[in-house]
Amino acid sequence: MSSSDTFSRDILPTKEGKLPFTYQGETYETYYKVVGNLDSTAGVPLVTLHGGPGSAHHYLLALSDLVSPSPSSSSSETGTNAVIFYDQLGTGNSSHPRDSKAPSFWTPELFMEELANLLAGLGVSKKYDLLGHSWGGMLAAQFASAFHNKQLLAGLRKLILSSAPASMALFEQGCAKLVKELPADVQETLRRHEEDGTTDSKEYEEAVGVFYERHLCRVKPFPRDLVRSFECIGEDPTVYHTMNGPSEFHITGSLRTWSIIPSIPAISVPTLLLSGAHDEVQEECIQPFFDGIMKAGVKWAVFAESSHVAHLEERERYIRIVRAFLGGN
């Protein structure tokens, strides 16, 4: 990757902190990291939403490449003045309510309120862009289509949905198709442990690993930041197990009936869809976004050599496409 296309986050200004977040009468803390110059009036900050749910922000740090050293440039690919990363509640460096909360606590509404609090707390609510990956894209889409604070939502300029399904039913159907393409012994291992309720076994983990190498990340070994995000789920699986369930392929948690399809036409900002040709989020999972956001303006880029984390698998092209979208009219 050439230096003209990418800027190392190591040489950019960085700010970290925690914001108080009060929800249902209790106050928590949301960890955030800002890369770039948030105080600059020349650009529009990009807020990123990580996946999982529960995988933390680390694997998205490559998006720091989007920060332009000169946001006021007339180039159509100037990127952004700052990228904001944060750990959603129950994840990474943010507060961990853990077993003190009923499953009904962990809802998209909770995380939309947390995002609203972050935007206000960092002073970016009047003008910002959103990039959500996987579950983060689901959350960003729901926020953009249905959030009750219309004044806050009016500050949203552009939306990027990266490997985000429009419904969990479509996601499950796509995964089922991909699992059938795995070696027969791997399929049998997955089936047996899911039926026996032993998805925490080493054998099951290794079988899932075969799927992940094809449809989650095709870079070997997995990038360090991606591994760290996975570790966060292992350190506290509360959010992932409650909302998704113990299996990647059979959604048994509170998101099992989630669908944004009826609300997609309410998304009223220019939107960029991104996905990998080998993605566990298959094209039929994303098609409803493309069909439903036509009036606001929608583009869709597919990465031929990527699966679920194209920003790590085809980093240079990914950054170039996103930077052009952010910088365009």
Side-chain angles (χ1 to χ4, degrees):
M1 188 179 301
S2 69
S3 59
S4 62
D5 292 321
T6 294
F7 305 94
S8 170
R9 64 177 181 257
D10 296 332
I11 62 174
L12 292 168
T14 301
K15 176 183 178 182
E16 298 178 79
K18 292 185 178 181
L19 285 173
F21 167 52
T22 300
Y23 187 74
Q24 295 184 350
E26 294 191 43
T27 299
Y28 310 97
E29 289 185 320
T30 300
Y31 166 84
Y32 68 87
K33 172 181 283 189
V34 179
V35 178
N37 185 7
L38 195 58
D39 296 327
S40 172
T41 60
V44 180
L46 176 68
V47 182
T48 64
L49 290 74
H50 66 71
S55 64
H57 76 282
H58 307 87
Y59 79 103
L60 293 179
L61 286 171
L63 299 178
S64 300
D65 291 352
L66 290 165
V67 178
S68 170
S70 179
S72 60
S73 168
S74 60
S75 169
S76 64
E77 297 188 6
T78 55
T80 179
N81 62 313
V83 178
I84 298 170
F85 305 93
Y86 74 103
D87 289 338
Q88 296 160 22
L89 192 66
T91 302
N93 294 320
S94 292
S95 297
H96 289 254
R98 297 182 189 266
D99 298 332
S100 64
K101 297 297 178 185
S104 59
F105 176 80
W106 302 104
T107 64
E109 288 69 28
L110 159 69
F111 294 107
M112 287 195 292
E113 293 290 348
E114 183 183 31
L115 173 58
N117 184 73
L118 179 86
L119 294 170
L122 293 180
V124 301
S125 59
K126 291 184 178 180
K127 197 169 188 179
Y128 60 94
D129 297 322
L130 285 183
L131 186 155
H133 176 263
S134 194
W135 146 251
M138 295 161 57
L139 178 60
Q142 186 164 345
F143 185 89
S145 66
F147 192 62
H148 60 80
N149 189 327
K150 300 303 181 184
Q151 183 176 1
L152 183 68
L153 196 56
L156 176 59
R157 187 185 68 125
K158 293 185 178 182
L159 178 66
I160 302 170
L161 305 178
S162 187
S163 294
S167 84
M168 294 309 280
L170 289 174
F171 174 72
E172 277 195 291
Q173 292 171 21
C175 280
K177 179 180 68 175
L178 295 175
V179 167
K180 289 180 180 179
E181 297 172 358
L182 297 175
D185 60 327
V186 175
Q187 292 186 52
E188 170 59 23
T189 299
L190 293 172
R191 182 198 60 76
R192 175 163 43 84
H193 284 290
E194 287 166 359
E195 289 181 353
D196 294 345
T198 52
T199 55
D200 58 348
S201 71
K202 183 67 174 178
E203 187 180 33
Y204 183 81
E205 179 182 338
E206 291 174 350
V208 171
V210 176
F211 179 90
Y212 280 170
E213 288 178 355
R214 294 186 180 195
H215 304 298
L216 180 88
C217 181
R218 296 167 76 85
V219 176
K220 296 182 181 180
F222 282 179
R224 180 187 60 184
D225 286 342
L226 181 61
V227 173
R228 179 65 193 116
S229 288
F230 270 127
E231 290 173 346
C232 287
I233 295 180
E235 291 165 3
D236 185 356
T238 302
V239 182
Y240 184 78
H241 282 185
T242 302
M243 299 186 75
N244 187 85
S247 170
E248 183 85 2
F249 317 115
H250 304 288
I251 311 303
T252 58
S254 60
L255 289 176
R256 66 186 179 278
T257 60
W258 183 91
S259 175
I260 193 67
I261 294 175
S263 301
I264 288 175
I267 296 175
S268 59
V269 296
T271 301
L272 175 63
L273 308 174
L274 303 169
S275 62
H278 308 281
D279 208 322
E280 65 175 359
V281 177
Q282 294 283 279
E283 289 191 8
E284 57 264 34
C285 303
I286 299 171
Q287 189 68 45
F289 286 120
F290 189 75
D291 295 338
I293 311 178
M294 293 297 290
K295 290 183 180 179
V298 61
K299 299 178 180 179
W300 186 355
V302 178
F303 295 83
E305 303 301 323
S306 295
S307 55
H308 194 54
V309 287
H311 64 285
L312 299 176
E313 297 164 293
E314 293 182 69
R315 181 169 171 173
E316 183 174 345
R317 180 174 178 239
Y318 187 102
I319 295 299
R320 185 169 63 250
I321 289 173
V322 173
R323 184 179 290 150
F325 175 72
L326 294 176
N329 296 324

